[in-house]
Amino acid sequence: MTYALEISALEKTYKGGFQALKGIDLTVEQGDFFALLGPNGAGKSTSIGVITSLVNKTGGKVKVFGYDIDTDLEKAKSFIGLVPQEFNFSQFEPLVNILVNQAGYYGVSKPVAIQRAEKYLKQLELWDKRDEPARTLSGGMKRRLMIARALMHEPKMLILDEPTAGVDIELRRSMWDFLKALNEEGITIILTTHYLEEAEMLCRNIAIIDGGEIVEDTSMKKLLAQLDVETFIFDLQANLTLTSLTQFAEQSQSIAYRVIDDHTLEVDLNKSQNLNQIFEQLNAANIEVLSMRNKSNRLEALFVSLINKKSSTTKAKQQSAVVGAN
Amino acid sequence: MNNSIALKSILTKEVQRFTRIWVQTLVPPAITISLYFVIFGSLIGSRIGEMGGFDYMSFIVPGLIMMSVITNSYSNVASSFFSAKWQRNVEEMLVAPVPNWVIVAGYVGGGMCRGILVGLIVTLVSLLFVDIQLHNIWVIIATVTLTSATFALGGLINAIFANSFDDISIIPTFILTPLTYLGGVFYSISLLPEFWQGVSQVNPIVYMVNAFRYGFLGISDVSLVTAFSVIIFFIVTLFTVAMVLISKGIGLRS
């Protein structure tokens, strides 16, 4: 099977000696919606830079739809559409020119490019601005312009580096819908984001990178299954009374809970417990639930624990190396 | 991939860029050249008399046109390519399957278009001051085309190495302008003492100005064969250097 992206033993050491990538291995299947997560400086943008040939690798192999970037770079590039983290278009050119020129770099003829520019500018709600210089756009519009630009040659794989950074919630959700629709059309999407909720909402598979190493590479479902405890917030119908609370406390001795205020209860649920059990105990205590929600982003908790686990392993290794040296 | 479409896209973008800001790019050379004609041609030139068998104004016209072509070809590519680096929109080309020679040809072509267009404007302005004669139109076309290509390549290399806007003004200020002024624009190098004539022969602009002057007036301080050999040598060398730099990603890829 040909992967959309196949990375093996990828290394990058910058001129100053900083090793940004320490031999990472990664595969992304065709048609996947893949998240690459990691803290700042983890190596996400360097990885994307190498894949898109903006960064020269020091070692390893990268294949895009089976084409090795060392031997078939131009072919490999033709499959990729890139939406970078920072705005990288001419601020002085009108939107249509930016898009038509970009298509031209991929050998798309001008009449076809003009049609596609109209299609994507309309889909991304930028058509009214088509003749304006790019500098007049708002931050959210500039992000959408970069998505339109990346699609002009109709790539098979779209790589988005923090595409919704600084974008308001409404716009972010419309961008999510747009990306989901693209993925349903068969475009492989690789996404880096700081909004972990975004990765959880959109992506089927995920890799977590930290310190230039892949610390987790799995499906989103398997990753979330690693969570031991989830916290739920219950909004209550009526005020909590001392009697009902005492009754609930007696019945639910194995459940950790906190009273946030007289209308809100926070409950921690581990894998061996289920929500039915909680509802039964709440019912028995005459506590009526109006609504319920997750307290925090589940992926965020897991992400923090994975990163912490990795840094404590590194520290332990360093300490044992020091002890060994002594 | 269709490289001709990519080349046309870069070229169109470059031409659109300098025509969009025509007040900055096309008008100043016309004003500068008018001042040269007023000061060196009418006021001082009339007291100089003949040079190379022609009145001074006619003698300096080819050199002044060539000076504008050189400056504009160079500065167009230097500022445009450096701006693309600075705004990072050069990445639009780097991530696309555009061969390196297409990037070089596109930018150099853009610089040549501006250099030659400015040359035409300056020629038209010159007609207000002096009757221009043509000795050999083909020599004129060949010289102006090859010279603009040479300096557009120079501007590209400058921009590749540049890290700030200051870096793209250092070469024109400290190297290009002195070489142009000492390149026989305002005088025949045969007037110089023997030692300085020898020194002038290592200045490539001497060959360009003289070949161009030959096209207009039929006189030159150097042979045409030597002049074209020198220009072609510089084009081949600078093109090779530009290709190597872009292939290695110097100043472009980390």
Side-chain angles (χ1 to χ4, degrees), chain A residues 155-166:
Chain A
K156 287 174 78 177
M157 180 165 74
L158 188 63
I159 301 178
L160 304 108
D161 196 358
E162 310 271 355
T164 54

Side-chain angles (χ1 to χ4, degrees), chain A residues 67-134:
Chain A
Y67 291 94
D68 192 322
I69 65 165
D70 289 328
T71 52
D72 291 302
L73 180 61
E74 286 173 17
K75 191 72 186 166
K77 280 175 171 180
S78 67
F79 291 110
I80 306 172
L82 174 67
V83 181
Q85 196 172 339
E86 289 175 38
F87 303 132
N88 69 341
F89 43 78
S90 169
Q91 300 285 330
F92 305 101
E93 279 185 62
L95 275 56
V96 165
N97 287 11
I98 291 172
L99 298 190
V100 171
N101 281 335
Q102 184 69 17
Y105 300 154
Y106 288 83
V108 179
S109 69
K110 197 169 179 180
V112 175
I114 289 170
Q115 280 176 6
R116 286 188 194 167
E118 182 176 347
K119 174 185 160 188
Y120 291 119
L121 286 175
K122 281 182 175 168
Q123 281 184 6
L124 288 155
E125 296 170 35
L126 291 169
W127 181 242
D128 293 344
K129 300 274 182 184
R130 62 190 178 278
D131 295 322
E132 304 281 323

Side-chain angles (χ1 to χ4, degrees), chain A residues 53 56 77 88 105 149, chain B residues 13 91-92 94 253-254:
Chain A
S53 84
N56 291 328
K77 280 175 171 180
N88 69 341
Y105 300 154
R149 186 184 60 179
Chain B
K13 179 172 71 79
E91 291 176 2
E92 291 175 339
L94 298 179
R253 296 185 170 96
S254 45

Side-chain angles (χ1 to χ4, degrees), chain B residues 100-133:
Chain B
N100 294 331
W101 71 264
V102 172
I103 297 177
V104 174
Y107 272 89
V108 169
M112 288 171 69
C113 286
R114 175 165 155 194
I116 292 169
L117 183 59
V118 166
L120 279 171
I121 292 169
V122 168
T123 306
L124 292 175
V125 171
S126 306
L127 288 170
L128 300 174
F129 297 90
V130 65
D131 288 332
I132 294 177
Q133 51 178 297

